Amino acid sequence: MLAATLGAALAFGAPAALAGTAPVSPSGQVAPAAPAKAAGQAAAAPTSQSATWVAGTRAYLVITAPGDSSAVRSAIAANGGTVFSNFDSIGVIVAHSASAGFAATMRGVSGVQQVGATRTSDVPADAYNPALPANPAQSTTPAGEPVRADMSQIKADQAWAVTTGSPSVKVGILDTGVDDQHQDLAPNFNAADSVSCAYGKPDTRAGAWRDVDSHGTHVAGTIAAAKNGKGVVGVAPGVKISAVRVAEPGNSFFFAENTICGFVWAGDHGFKVTNNSYYTDPWQFNCPDNIDQAAIIEGVKRAQEYAEGKGSLQVAAAGNENYDLAHKTTDSASPNDSTPVTRTITNACLDIPTELPGVVTVAANGTGTTKASFSNFGSGVIDVAAPGSDVYSTVPGGKYGTKSGTSMATPHVVGVAALLASTNPGITPAQLRDKLATQANDIACPSDSRCTGTAANNSFFGEGQVDALKAVGSTPPPGKYFENLGDFAINDNATVESPITVSGVSGNAPATLKVGVDIKHTYIGDLKVDLVAPDGTVYTLSNRAGGGTDNIVQTFTVNASSEVANGLWKLRVNDNANADTGKIDAWNLTF
């Protein structure tokens, strides 16, 4: 999902396949970050199902018919391999072998459908005796959790007045792990269903799920940081989150066997939604004409279908290379666990799990309804979009930080999906996909020839930007709600107006006309804000109030019963001082 995308620099000098952890420059390139450190204290590990590690040990997916795989497992042992883990429910065995001829030999075994190497590097010795990740000391945060721009952009702050989500809805975070001790995550953390799937086998020891980077903890906060008066608030602060660590320590690689383990775990543990902000290493794109990559596609596809069959919807990041996923031509980032080479590819090659059937693919918005410069795109690939630039959220140790990427957009969508599941008990993954499309607000293509399609569905934004307020059932009545999402700059000592044309409303405006205002501006005491009716009558909403406070995000009630409803209404903002500027981000009228 993103080429040299983000994340931790690897031991091999290439980036791991996180979908948006490092700072993203205007060019869309991701700045390198320091390597993720391997873990803190050692702990007794479960007895290994595999032989003692030797140099040259590689991992393979051995694909069979679902059901009893005992004969194939015996053949693995007889042909120089060991069974590291097996998932009989989907017919996938994770085998290790140091024999160069292992895969070719196993492909000739009766009952074996496919065999594919999952990496071009050795399996780490840590796989056989994994250390527990560190449990970082926790900082404390002063009281106060101001509404962040990304939350108001998708109306999550308004949705919380309806519901913060149900604790019966479980969300799985398949990532680098989660700091469950973080003050903003602990209230909603579900340790009973958390696990490490690093190396492709469930490790249920307490704390095995903890973060070996910071990416997963950041994602977790955007989904469900608690509404507890400090730090930040997630999109769905009432749901439960579980960590499924699929990243390996030291490099944050997400190999196929790890993802397979994570999806099967999600299905077996009742996760309604999973967040997948990564692509499956070491191949940015897996091509079906490559015998190893074909097995990866099949194995991860089976695991995703298994999870969906158990009621779980997978949501994944589109990637951060500003790449057209609908017109693939080259891949220069693979394999990222050894030496990448440039290869010619076609659309048959898939970003896994992002492009698997049934997975919701998320693009990133920049400020407002723009396309984030780094976000991948593609007609028929992108499903929805969400804020992904400069997102402020939780990081390990009770701390907070800002990250950009489609990795940061995806948890906004997961949070909205969790709210949908909360207000629609029993909803199926297919129904959840449909509702995610329905609640999204259309975004027309900008003046960019790469964007194709209509305002209702295009290659940059799919069905549009998610809307948490609509998701919780507070969609304004058709024909009586009008909105302008355009940005209008507010300059020093200047006046700006944002228009809305109202039509189809009979008679006069109500005595309780609702005027929703979203103004981004430092020192709002500079501003006078008025509603201007079609006949020119001015209704003052705010007159230089608020002093040095930032931003006006508020719904005002106006007695406009003397005004004819239909016509051109305007929000007028007058700046009366130097130094502080901003913009009208959005506003609306509800009749």
Side-chain angles (χ1 to χ4, degrees):
M1 112 188 16
L2 10 332
T5 31
L6 52 253
L10 307 185
F12 300 96
L18 294 170
T21 222
V24 178
S25 71
S27 67
Q29 298 302 309
V30 182
K37 299 298 180 185
Q41 73 269 30
T47 302
S48 174
Q49 297 176 18
S50 301
T52 303
W53 180 88
V54 295
T57 297
R58 296 294 172 90
Y60 301 87
L61 298 183
V62 180
I63 311 291
T64 71
D68 183 9
S69 64
S70 55
V72 173
R73 282 184 272 135
S74 295
I76 289 171
N79 287 287
T82 57
V83 174
F84 186 74
S85 61
N86 66 290
F87 304 94
D88 280 349
S89 57
I90 60 172
V92 175
I93 302 168
V94 179
H96 288 177
S97 178
S99 169
F102 175 77
T105 301
M106 286 302 302
R107 289 179 186 123
V109 170
S110 176
V112 173
Q113 298 173 357
Q114 291 176 269
V115 179
T118 65
R119 51 184 89 201
T120 63
S121 56
D122 288 359
V123 174
D126 185 68
Y128 302 123
N129 187 25
L132 285 174
N135 184 7
Q138 300 294 314
S139 302
T140 57
T141 293
E145 49 183 7
V147 175
R148 307 190 315 278
D150 56 319
M151 293 298 158
S152 59
Q153 187 169 325
I154 64 168
K155 300 189 180 75
D157 52 333
Q158 298 177 55
W160 300 329
V162 180
T163 181
T164 56
S166 169
S168 66
V169 171
K170 295 195 287 188
V171 176
I173 300 166
L174 278 62
D175 213 290
T176 62
V178 173
D179 178 6
D180 56 302
Q181 303 296 312
H182 195 291
Q183 59 197 340
D184 243 357
L185 301 177
N188 292 331
F189 192 80
N190 174 15
D193 291 314
S194 294
V195 70
S196 170
C197 272
Y199 312 113
K201 179 169 61 179
D203 181 350
T204 58
R205 292 175 296 159
W209 58 72
R210 291 200 176 115
D211 209 331
V212 295
D213 186 83
S214 62
H215 191 268
T217 300
H218 195 275
V219 164
T222 299
I223 296 170
K227 202 170 189 297
N228 55 4
K230 56 186 174 183
V232 297
V233 187
V235 177
V239 305
K240 294 297 182 183
I241 50 174
S242 295
V244 180
R245 179 164 68 85
V246 289
E248 297 181 8
N251 51 35
S252 291
F253 278 132
F254 297 70
F255 291 107
E257 59 267 37
N258 309 1
T259 302
I260 289 167
C261 171
F263 283 162
V264 172
W265 183 272
D268 288 341
H269 289 262
F271 296 164
K272 199 64 187 175
V273 194
T274 69
N275 190 104
N276 302 271
S277 291
Y278 59 92
Y279 71 75
T280 301
D281 296 293
W283 306 100
Q284 181 187 0
F285 299 106
N286 288 271
C287 299
D289 60 355
N290 178 289
I291 198 166
D292 293 314
Q293 294 164 39
I296 291 173
I297 294 171
E298 180 64 19
V300 180
K301 178 173 175 286
R302 288 189 186 190
Q304 194 290 121
E305 290 172 344
Y306 177 84
E308 181 164 339
K310 293 279 191 173
S312 177
L313 177 70
Q314 277 57 252
V315 181
N320 302 338
E321 299 173 301
N322 195 22
Y323 191 95
D324 186 350
L325 296 174
H327 296 90
K328 301 184 184 82
T329 56
T330 58
D331 172 12
S332 300
S334 308
N336 65 1
D337 67 335
S338 54
T339 303
V341 297
T342 298
R343 56 179 180 151
T344 299
I345 62 172
T346 69
N347 285 348
C349 302
L350 301 178
D351 181 339
I352 303 294
T354 295
E355 291 188 275
L356 290 177
V359 175
V360 174
T361 303
V362 182
N365 289 123
T367 302
T369 56
T370 61
K371 172 189 174 296
S373 61
F374 51 81
S375 181
N376 285 354
F377 57 98
S379 179
V381 179
I382 302 302
D383 291 304
V384 290
S389 297
D390 297 323
V391 175
Y392 186 73
S393 187
T394 48
V395 294
K399 300 175 183 178
Y400 301 85
T402 298
K403 296 180 187 290
S404 293
T406 54
S407 279
M408 284 59 253
T410 303
H412 288 90
V413 176
V414 169
V416 170
L419 291 177
L420 282 166
S422 298
T423 53
N424 296 273
I427 192 170
T428 67
Q431 291 168 335
L432 201 48
R433 276 195 300 271
D434 288 344
K435 282 188 174 292
L436 277 172
T438 300
Q439 57 76 48
N441 292 314
D442 293 347
I443 305 175
C445 280
S447 298
D448 188 325
S449 62
R450 299 173 303 163
C451 187
T452 59
T454 65
N457 194 327
N458 58 60
S459 58
F460 273 15
F461 311 110
E463 297 280 352
Q465 187 178 87
V466 292
D467 187 317
L469 186 60
K470 287 184 180 178
V472 298
S474 291
T475 306
K480 293 191 175 182
Y481 178 84
F482 303 86
E483 184 174 47
N484 189 333
L485 295 175
D487 291 347
F488 291 80
I490 304 169
N491 298 317
D492 283 333
N493 296 297
T495 299
V496 63
E497 294 180 338
S498 174
I500 287 178
T501 299
V502 174
S503 62
V505 180
S506 59
N508 285 6
T512 56
L513 177 65
K514 302 297 183 185
V515 186
V517 173
D518 186 350
I519 294 172
K520 301 297 191 296
H521 193 285
T522 53
Y523 207 97
I524 62 174
D526 290 356
L527 303 180
K528 183 173 185 288
V529 183
D530 298 314
L531 175 68
V532 183
D535 67 357
T537 302
V538 175
Y539 297 86
T540 297
L541 306 178
S542 178
N543 191 1
R544 306 192 67 175
T549 306
D550 293 347
N551 306 333
I552 302 175
V553 182
Q554 186 176 344
T555 299
F556 299 90
T557 300
V558 173
N559 182 354
S561 57
S562 63
E563 306 294 338
V564 174
N566 292 336
L568 183 66
W569 296 75
K570 293 178 287 188
L571 186 71
R572 177 183 295 164
V573 180
N574 173 241
D575 183 292
N576 295 278
N578 294 321
D580 292 275
T581 60
K583 65 179 178 178
I584 301 174
D585 202 17
W587 74 289
N588 59 70
L589 293 169
T590 305
F591 287 82

